[in-house]
Every structure is written in structure tokens, then in C-alpha cells.
């Protein structure tokens, strides 16, 4: 699945076979597809290896745009939510690059703004990892999501058990004021 994803997003291969994995009956296959996609998304945005720059980065972003043109966004969103839900249920309190990359992908893919915002808000309010909750607060406020959802999360995270999360919520509230 990882090789298939790299072929689509790094080499520009056809995405039909990869897109079908997000609706596969086996949850392990859907999870593997979601994680592979999140890793490639992060790499294409310059956040992970194999890192791209200049013309290569532009080419990879074109492959990503072509993918989104044919992708079934609700099905992909569902698979990403399954990965994040599993992380919360298993008590993923340790920072996990895969979980973070899925959160990063949720924050940036086109369309489904309200559904993605609600998912990220849920992560901000329920994930056992302080780092994931803090990142979710940041992404929710700094992306183009409905403001009311972000405001609700900022208010709730003012009482988060983690000082890091409370501080992130405070910073984001101050930035909204100014």
C-alpha cells in the first residue's frame, strides 16, 4: 500500500487502485491506505521524507491536485477518522508521527470543511496525547474552518489538564483578538 501511494503521489501513477483502498471492507487496509496517504501528504508539503523542493515539489503538488480531482472525499475522511479514533481508543498518549500526519492531512485537504473541523475539534477535546490536542487546537484555528467550532474548542481547552494545550489555546485566543 505504501508503494502504491508513493507511485500515485511521488511518481504520478493512476490513483484509481489507491482510491479503492479507502472503501475496502478490511479496516486494516483502510488504515494502511490512510496512513500511507498521510505520509505522502506530509512529504509533498515538505514536512516529511522523502522531502521535495523546487520543481519536484511543484510536480508532486500537481499529482496531489490530480488525486483530489478524482477522489471520493467522504470515504477518505471516514478512513482518516477511523485512524484517529483508533489512536484515541488505544490511549495513544505517546506522540506518534502517523497520527500527527493524519491530523495534518485532515487539516489541509480540500472540501468537507465542517466535517473535518468537527473531527479536529473532537481530537482537541478527546485525544490522550497533549501534543495531538495542542496540534488540533492550532490547526482548527489557523485553517479555513467555521469560526464557531474553533471558538468552542478554544473555550474548552482553557481548562485542559496540560499546560501546553492551555497555553496554545491562550495564544490562539489572543491572536484572534488582534
Amino acid at each position: 500500500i505504501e508503494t502504491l501511494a508513493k507511485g500515485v503521489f511521488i511518481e504520478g501513477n493512476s490513483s484509481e487502485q489507491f482510491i479503492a483502498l479507502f472503501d475496502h471492507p478490511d479496516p486494516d487496509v483502510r488504515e494502511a491506505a490512510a496512513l500511507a496517504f498521510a505520509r505522502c501528504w506530509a512529504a509533498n508539503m515538505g514536512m516529511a521524507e522523502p522531502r521535495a523542493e523546487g520543481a519536484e515539489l511543484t510536480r508532486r503538488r500537481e499529482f496531489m491536485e490530480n488525486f483530489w480531482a478524482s477522489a471520493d472525499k467522504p470515504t477518505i475522511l471516514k478512513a482518516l477518522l477511523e485512524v484517529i479514533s483508533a489512536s484515541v481508543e488505544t490511549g495513544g498518549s505517546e506522540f506518534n508521527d502517523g497520527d500527527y500526519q493524519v491530523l495534518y492531512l485532515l487539516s489541509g485537504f480540500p472540501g468537507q470543511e465542517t466535517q473535518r473541523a468537527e473531527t479536529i475539534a473532537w481530537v482537541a477535546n478527546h485525544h490522550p496525547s497533549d501534543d495531538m490536542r495542542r496540534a488540533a487546537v492550532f490547526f482548527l484555528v489557523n485553517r479555513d474552518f467555521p469560526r464557531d467550532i474553533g471558538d468552542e474548542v478554544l473555550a474548552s481547552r482553557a481548562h485542559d489538564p496540560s499546560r501546553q494545550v492551555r497555553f496554545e489555546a491562550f495564544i490562539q485566543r489572543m491572536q484572534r483578538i488582534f
Side-chain angles (χ1 to χ4, degrees):
I1 291 173
E2 187 83 29
T3 302
L4 186 59
K6 286 179 182 177
V8 171
F9 299 114
I10 296 175
E11 299 166 11
N13 296 341
S14 172
S15 61
E16 290 176 28
Q17 191 176 21
F18 184 65
I19 289 172
L21 296 176
F22 289 96
D23 202 24
H24 196 278
D26 185 344
D28 291 336
V29 172
R30 292 190 306 268
E31 179 180 342
L35 288 170
F37 183 25
R39 286 187 197 103
C40 288
W41 174 273
N44 286 349
M45 296 300 139
M47 301 291 292
E49 298 297 334
R51 201 172 304 243
E53 296 178 2
E56 176 66 18
L57 182 59
T58 301
R59 190 172 72 90
R60 287 188 188 180
R61 287 187 176 161
E62 287 175 12
F63 295 155
M64 192 68 69
E65 287 174 17
N66 292 337
F67 172 81
W68 283 122
S70 62
D72 180 10
K73 293 174 188 154
T75 302
I76 292 172
L77 181 61
K78 181 181 171 194
L80 294 170
L81 179 58
E82 287 176 1
V83 172
I84 290 292
S85 296
S87 173
V88 170
E89 289 172 10
T90 60
S93 58
E94 295 299 317
F95 186 73
N96 178 325
D97 279 345
D99 292 347
Y100 180 79
Q101 290 168 346
V102 168
L103 183 62
Y104 182 58
L105 172 58
L106 278 169
S107 75
F109 85 67
Q112 308 288 310
E113 281 79 13
T114 301
Q115 295 90 337
R116 290 185 301 119
E118 289 170 353
T119 300
I120 294 170
W122 183 77
V123 171
N125 290 321
H126 295 98
H127 203 284
S129 166
D130 299 348
D131 291 318
M132 288 292 287
R133 289 193 315 277
R134 185 176 51 78
V137 167
F138 177 84
F139 288 142
L140 190 59
V141 175
N142 288 290
R143 300 280 200 239
D144 192 24
F145 290 120
R147 186 176 176 101
D148 60 323
I149 295 173
D151 288 344
E152 190 176 308
V153 168
L154 288 176
S156 71
R157 293 304 88 211
H159 304 288
D160 193 276
S162 166
R163 186 177 339 159
Q164 290 177 323
V165 177
R166 289 192 311 267
F167 189 66
E168 184 67 42
F170 173 76
I171 289 171
Q172 297 306 324
R173 281 194 309 272
M174 290 302 108
Q175 287 182 347
R176 282 194 172 194
I177 290 171
F178 298 108

